[in-house]
Amino acid sequence: MFSGVSGFINRGQKLEGTVVLMRKNVLDVNKAAGISSDVTSGDIVRGVGGILDGGIDLVTTAVGTTVDNLTAFLGRNVGLQLISATATDSSGKGKVGKETFLEGVILSLPTLGAGQSAFNIHFEWDSNFGIPEAFYIKNYMQVEFFLVSLTLEDVPNQGTISFVCNSWVNNFTTYEKNRIFFVNKTYLPSATPAPLVNYREEELKTLRGNGKGERKEWERIYDYDVYNDLGKPDSGAKYARPILGGSSTHPYPRRVRTGRKPTRTDPNSESPGDSYIPRDENFGHLKSSDFLIYTLKSLSQAVLPALQSVIFGEFSSFDEVRGLQEGGIKLPTDVLSAISPLPALKEIFRTDGEQVLKFPPPHVINVSKSAWMTDEEFAREMIAGVNPCVIQLLQEFPIQSKLDATIYGDQTSKITKEQLEINLEGITVEEALSSQRLFKLDYNDAFIPYLRKINEFAKAYATRTILFLKDDGTLKPVAIELNLPHPNGDQFGAVSKVILPATEGAESTIWLLAKAHVIVNDSCYHQLMSHWLNTHAVIEPFAIATNRNLSVLHPIYKLLYPHYRDTININGLARQSLINADGIIEQSFLPGPYSLEISSAVYKDWVFTDQALPADLIKRGLAIKDPSSPHGLQLLIKDYPYATDGLEIWDAINTWVREYVSLYYPTDDAIRKDTELQAWWKEAVEKGHEDLKDKPWWPKLQNVEELIQSASIIIWTASALHAAVNFGQYPYGGYILNRPTLSRRLIPEPGTSEYDELVKSPQTAYLRTITPKYQTIVDLSVIEILSRHASDEVYLGQNNDPNWTSDSKALQAFKKFGNKLVEIEEKITAKNSDPSLRNRTGPVHLPYTLLLPTSKEGLTFRGIPNSISI
């Protein structure tokens, strides 16, 4: 051990401690790389080329930590003061001990993580001070550092006391209140040791802030705001976007408030710029996920604009599309030189030492290059693909619309009984309905209100698909309805075209094109609603409310916090680069500038309690309550991979939450009397989801069951639901023919040149209809990053800190949860080997693995991270 500051005037009884921290120059990849909101394609070599170069240098520095560059923390540069939980000062607050400084570097500590450094410290202590369960820390340096933990050893009658910190500590002058950290014990507000009560309340007050001014980078304030930062109205009307949230017209969940200055053109919109993220949410931990996210940012700001100048036009054949993975696209030297220095981009754009842009092969064509075109695979991906949570039971025929008929006219489906019965294998529509064998994928109401505007720059339909459940348990599409707004006005209803399955001639190509139009609808709905809105956006208000109202000592904070990791951060990046005006989503998905506006319309019908998987399945008609069936539900499609695997995961989460909650809330009265818990829920509903706050379906959080259900929904949404709709994006969508995101042509009519082209060259007709070359590159580049796992991902049933709580019963229940997930993983693996379960692999021979709990690093098509971290 290196001894730094040595000796005390009084060498009386002392408490020995170990402080673990990480230096800023190890962590701050962003600043070192110089990424900012004004990076342009002209900066590509200098700016982007340095992004991960800088990152690598920093990682190397971390590995090469030496005593010499750690001694800066010694002397009187970092001071700590213990706070007693049993002895008070004259004001009744916990007694504060003498300030003590780091003494020396510990060169070897087996528990140290990458980039972490440990320091020795000794606190003066006597029995009159009592038990320390909090501490102040002051950073007297100008550079911030990341405090990992403090551990006190051999505390009389207590043994080891652990403080899990994981927080940035800036220069002490930047804080109005001293930075304080608490022991890893769990206390309900009413059970908090009296000397700590004031400290607990003060810390929450600090995290709430005062709601005023522009937030600063080092601040840790959590507050709410509407989505008023998506547009750039000062750049012209083309880039203006409606404010989402705060109105009945455009309701939306809230985001973290930044307080940036308003734009010149619209005083209600925030000016663009780097988005404020509460400091402890920001990129900073030495995680490989940081590099994936930074790659995404550099991709949008510099790489894609550069590629746009050299990649354009059309694919000439399906072979050329597959060439993106098999041979690549030749790139000019200047563009390649910008990409090649980036390790993460070198993994995504595999140049293989040649002057080409090359993607990894997507899973969907690993076995068969053409099975994606089959009707069985088209239908299977509705229950085992990347968007398996939209399909519904068809309960009425013809299909009705919920749109306002006074505005949109009669939107009733034009599919007829006679058209369906051609492919119902000898039974009538009535028989199929009564036996619950007809299902629908209905995007009419989501797209019709916007389709007239969308078709000013695209050519798309609002689609309805009807499917039939065959005797072998697989689904087959039996009719597709393609709807357009009436040329004389919306009030005249839709103009409908019904396409039926065909296997030969021009009709088979038209059927393939009709399926493509359905998938374009599905891809957009998936990205904007199933993925962004229903996971990313709806979880952020709960993360904000948790940090504002639940102390780190609170049991529900400890339960939920792992499921918020990086969510606020990735959402902030999304508003800058993905969902913003002219961002990646608008460039590569059908609705373009109306993308987020459509998600706002869908949010009007969002129901929190329906996010529980059992409730969701029942609502969509895919399950009925049955106490004698596994999980208390009978599935109408027995071989429904997302549902069968998801119910296993849901039950495991729900059981874990129930066992954990019961440790702290023996009665409903305990729920009602928990002041922090009640404030948390009230604020999450009334501020976080303010536009829906008066909906009757919100739980009132007045009993134990409501808390168990609400916490389970939050955890399920942030972990398993997000995994199900996220990590299959590239495995299915990396082959753009299988999941196109844009449509540029309507179905050709006989007698037109486009119809003649369709007859002569079906592949050309298909390629001219779907996503063109550059937008394909944009889409594939982004979804590959989004589909990857980081090397240090923390998965469901895991916690990256073994000292997250000192409660042994909670630790036992958590271990039980982890063991249950291991059993589920084995069960899912066995099901994927069962040839009778045809929907689990399908014609493409791709086993459904998205809800296997664990994964290795990379593009694995499996794994449930704890949180929405990418």
Side-chain angles (χ1 to χ4, degrees):
M1 181 181 296
F2 176 86
S3 180
V5 177
S6 61
F8 289 89
I9 297 175
N10 177 4
R11 300 293 294 181
Q13 191 170 8
K14 297 187 183 301
L15 294 182
E16 182 177 354
T18 301
V19 174
V20 177
L21 54 79
M22 301 174 78
R23 295 164 299 133
K24 183 179 177 68
N25 68 329
V26 171
L27 299 165
D28 202 346
V29 181
N30 192 35
K31 293 299 182 185
I35 306 175
S36 69
S37 59
D38 57 0
V39 173
T40 67
S41 57
D43 301 320
I44 190 166
V45 176
R46 175 172 49 81
V48 181
I51 288 170
L52 291 188
D53 278 351
I56 293 171
D57 291 343
L58 297 179
V59 174
T60 303
T61 303
V63 174
T65 295
T66 64
V67 171
D68 290 340
N69 55 30
L70 291 176
T71 54
F73 290 95
L74 304 178
R76 301 179 67 85
N77 285 332
V78 180
L80 286 78
Q81 294 173 278
L82 296 179
I83 300 174
S84 176
T86 55
T88 61
D89 58 19
S90 58
S91 68
K93 296 173 64 176
K95 186 182 295 184
V96 180
K98 179 182 177 181
E99 187 170 32
T100 308
F101 299 90
L102 303 184
E103 297 177 20
V105 182
I106 301 175
L107 292 181
S108 61
L109 194 66
T111 56
L112 281 184
Q116 295 180 353
S117 303
F119 296 84
N120 201 245
I121 191 168
H122 289 84
F123 296 93
E124 292 189 15
W125 182 88
D126 60 41
S127 58
N128 292 329
F129 186 82
I131 303 170
E133 291 191 356
F135 70 90
Y136 282 141
I137 187 167
K138 285 186 178 180
N139 176 7
Y140 292 97
M141 302 179 293
Q142 296 305 307
V143 178
E144 65 181 347
F145 59 83
F146 189 77
L147 181 64
V148 177
S149 64
L150 166 66
T151 305
L152 301 178
E153 303 289 352
D154 301 322
V155 181
N157 300 317
Q158 299 295 314
T160 300
I161 296 179
S162 298
F163 300 82
V164 178
C165 306
N166 292 326
S167 178
W168 288 97
V169 179
N170 211 320
N171 180 273
F172 77 101
T173 60
T174 61
Y175 301 116
E176 293 183 9
K177 300 279 187 179
N178 289 334
R179 288 301 313 276
I180 189 171
F181 294 91
F182 295 94
V183 70
N184 68 338
K185 290 184 179 180
T186 303
Y187 293 118
L188 292 175
S190 59
T192 307
L196 292 183
V197 169
N198 187 270
Y199 295 109
R200 178 173 180 155
E201 293 174 350
E202 281 186 353
E203 175 67 354
L204 287 175
K205 185 176 180 181
T206 295
L207 292 170
R208 287 192 288 267
N210 61 13
K212 299 177 181 178
E214 183 173 357
R215 298 272 64 85
K216 305 297 189 294
E217 180 186 6
W218 62 82
E219 292 180 324
R220 302 161 52 244
I221 293 173
Y222 295 80
D223 203 355
Y224 304 92
D225 207 346
V226 296
Y227 279 64
N228 62 352
D229 60 345
L230 300 177
K232 298 180 288 185
D234 290 346
S235 298
K238 175 182 176 183
Y239 300 103
R241 297 293 179 268
I243 294 171
L244 304 184
S247 70
S248 58
T249 305
H250 297 303
Y252 221 61
R254 298 301 191 260
R255 63 168 176 93
V256 163
R257 178 185 176 275
T258 64
R260 292 193 300 260
K261 294 179 180 178
T263 61
R264 298 188 306 275
T265 309
D266 178 6
N268 294 316
S269 293
E270 276 191 356
S271 55
D274 285 339
S275 186
Y276 162 78
I277 303 296
R279 190 65 187 105
D280 292 340
E281 304 287 340
N282 211 338
F283 305 116
H285 314 278
L286 190 61
K287 309 189 313 292
S288 60
S289 60
D290 291 345
F291 290 95
L292 289 178
I293 296 171
Y294 275 116
T295 301
L296 190 62
K297 190 170 184 177
S298 66
L299 190 72
S300 66
Q301 292 183 350
V303 176
L304 291 177
L307 292 176
Q308 190 171 17
S309 64
V310 297
I311 297 176
F312 47 84
E314 303 282 355
F315 291 109
S316 61
S317 66
F318 289 4
D319 284 341
E320 186 182 355
V321 176
R322 286 192 291 271
L324 291 175
Q325 289 88 23
E326 295 172 355
I329 297 177
K330 192 172 181 63
L331 293 177
T333 303
D334 58 338
V335 175
L336 185 69
S337 65
I339 296 173
S340 58
L342 306 176
L345 286 182
K346 276 168 54 175
E347 176 66 12
I348 293 162
F349 297 133
R350 288 166 177 75
T351 59
D352 294 338
E354 302 175 9
Q355 201 165 311
V356 295
L357 170 66
K358 193 174 181 182
F359 290 90
H363 299 61
V364 75
I365 56 170
N366 275 349
V367 176
S368 170
K369 300 293 192 293
S370 59
W372 63 273
M373 289 191 287
T374 63
D375 287 356
E376 182 180 340
E377 181 60 25
F378 170 74
R380 187 190 77 93
E381 291 186 24
M382 298 179 195
I383 57 174
V386 74
N387 195 26
C389 42
V390 181
I391 187 173
Q392 301 174 30
L393 176 69
L394 182 60
Q395 301 186 59
E396 58 182 2
F397 186 83
I399 300 172
Q400 302 296 308
S401 170
K402 295 181 180 178
L403 293 175
D404 187 343
T406 63
I407 299 174
Y408 298 103
D410 183 9
Q411 293 286 332
T412 303
S413 172
K414 305 301 190 299
I415 299 174
T416 68
K417 176 175 177 289
E418 291 74 21
Q419 289 170 325
L420 286 187
E421 289 178 351
I422 296 172
N423 291 290
L424 293 188
E425 300 182 355
I427 68 173
T428 66
V429 167
E430 291 79 10
E431 290 170 336
L433 286 170
S434 64
S435 59
Q436 298 177 315
R437 296 179 66 179
L438 289 178
F439 299 85
K440 65 176 181 176
L441 190 71
D442 188 355
Y443 289 122
N444 184 77
D445 289 4
F447 285 94
I448 276 290
Y450 295 90
L451 199 53
R452 193 180 300 276
K453 292 184 287 188
I454 289 172
N455 280 351
E456 292 176 2
F457 53 83
K459 290 292 182 289
Y461 299 98
T463 68
R464 288 184 174 121
T465 306
I466 295 181
L467 305 108
F468 177 66
L469 181 62
K470 297 165 61 180
D471 291 338
D472 64 4
T474 63
L475 292 167
K476 72 172 183 179
V478 292
I480 292 173
E481 183 177 40
L482 305 175
N483 292 332
L484 291 171
H486 198 285
N488 295 332
D490 290 345
Q491 69 273 23
F492 292 98
V495 175
S496 301
K497 180 189 293 289
V498 177
I499 311 294
L500 301 180
T503 57
E504 296 179 353
E507 290 76 15
S508 67
T509 304
I510 289 172
W511 175 244
L512 184 64
L513 291 173
K515 291 192 292 183
H517 280 286
V518 171
I519 296 168
V520 169
N521 276 194
D522 187 68
S523 295
C524 298
Y525 193 94
H526 159 259
Q527 195 62 258
L528 299 170
M529 274 63 81
S530 302
H531 183 211
W532 167 255
L533 174 65
N534 288 346
T535 63
H536 284 259
V538 301
I539 283 295
E540 184 163 352
F542 293 107
I544 299 170
T546 298
N547 282 281
R548 284 170 57 88
N549 295 284
L550 298 181
S551 165
V552 295
L553 295 166
H554 199 285
I556 303 305
Y557 177 93
K558 294 181 185 294
L559 173 68
L560 296 179
Y561 180 73
H563 304 287
Y564 301 140
R565 179 196 189 205
D566 287 339
T567 301
I568 291 174
N569 190 8
I570 187 65
N571 286 2
L573 172 66
R575 296 197 309 275
Q576 286 182 278
S577 303
L578 293 177
I579 62 173
N580 58 313
D582 203 34
I584 287 174
I585 296 298
E586 290 194 1
Q587 288 183 41
S588 55
F589 285 86
L590 175 68
Y594 305 105
S595 295
L596 266 287
E597 192 175 337
I598 291 178
S599 73
S600 169
V602 172
Y603 178 64
K604 293 177 182 179
D605 296 320
W606 181 81
V607 177
F608 174 74
T609 48
D610 287 345
Q611 306 314 299
L613 180 59
D616 169 57
L617 292 170
I618 292 170
K619 183 176 184 177
R620 289 190 285 121
L622 273 296
I624 56 175
K625 290 184 179 180
D626 180 4
S628 65
S629 296
H631 318 293
L633 292 179
Q634 181 183 342
L635 292 174
L636 299 190
I637 303 173
K638 306 299 182 188
D639 183 15
Y640 184 175
Y642 165 71
T644 56
D645 295 359
L647 286 169
E648 296 276 2
I649 301 295
W650 167 267
D651 275 4
I653 291 171
N654 191 250
T655 299
W656 148 241
V657 172
R658 181 175 301 279
E659 293 181 358
Y660 181 85
V661 167
S662 68
L663 296 175
Y664 306 102
Y665 298 98
T667 66
D668 293 343
D669 194 50
I671 297 284
R672 291 189 287 268
K673 289 182 177 178
D674 186 333
T675 54
E676 286 185 5
L677 188 73
Q678 293 301 320
W680 165 68
W681 189 249
K682 178 180 174 64
E683 194 175 280
V685 173
E686 296 184 2
K687 290 188 176 182
H689 287 276
E690 181 177 347
D691 302 327
L692 303 181
K693 67 179 181 179
D694 295 324
K695 297 294 183 180
W697 40 255
W698 281 110
K700 305 303 181 187
L701 215 66
Q702 294 298 295
N703 57 59
V704 174
E705 283 302 318
E706 287 183 322
L707 175 58
I708 292 169
Q709 186 75 347
S710 298
S712 297
I713 289 171
I714 291 170
I715 294 172
W716 160 263
T717 302
S719 59
L721 178 58
H722 179 259
V725 299
N726 182 72
F727 294 103
Q729 290 189 81
Y730 191 83
Y732 280 115
Y735 191 50
I736 199 67
L737 303 181
N738 185 54
R739 284 193 68 77
T741 60
L742 294 170
S743 54
R744 300 173 290 145
R745 280 186 182 179
L746 301 178
I747 299 293
E749 297 292 341
T752 64
S753 60
E754 291 181 350
Y755 188 88
D756 293 340
E757 180 185 68
L758 175 153
V759 172
K760 294 176 183 177
S761 178
Q763 287 194 16
T764 300
Y766 191 85
L767 292 167
R768 296 294 187 274
T769 299
I770 66 163
T771 317
K773 189 179 294 185
Y774 171 70
Q775 284 79 6
T776 294
I777 299 301
V778 172
D779 179 49
L780 268 56
S781 302
V782 173
I783 64 173
E784 192 195 343
I785 297 173
L786 296 178
S787 300
R788 286 181 169 272
H789 289 292
S791 60
D792 52 1
E793 196 86 79
V794 184
Y795 295 94
L796 194 64
Q798 302 174 358
N799 195 299
N800 60 347
D801 197 318
N803 296 315
W804 66 274
T805 182
S806 62
D807 189 331
S808 60
K809 290 183 179 179
L811 291 171
Q812 289 171 8
F814 188 64
K815 183 177 181 181
K816 181 179 174 183
F817 175 46
N819 291 338
K820 181 62 178 177
L821 291 171
V822 171
E823 293 177 15
I824 292 171
E825 187 157 312
E826 293 172 352
K827 185 181 292 188
I828 292 174
T829 301
K831 285 191 291 187
N832 282 335
S833 300
D834 186 344
S836 69
L837 301 175
R838 292 181 53 173
N839 294 329
R840 296 203 67 88
T841 55
V844 295
H845 300 285
L846 178 56
Y848 186 76
T849 55
L850 284 170
L851 290 178
L852 285 172
T854 63
S855 175
K856 295 180 180 179
E857 177 185 7
L859 198 61
T860 64
F861 191 56
R862 60 176 288 170
I864 305 175
N866 267 330
S867 62
I868 304 167
S869 57
I870 187 68

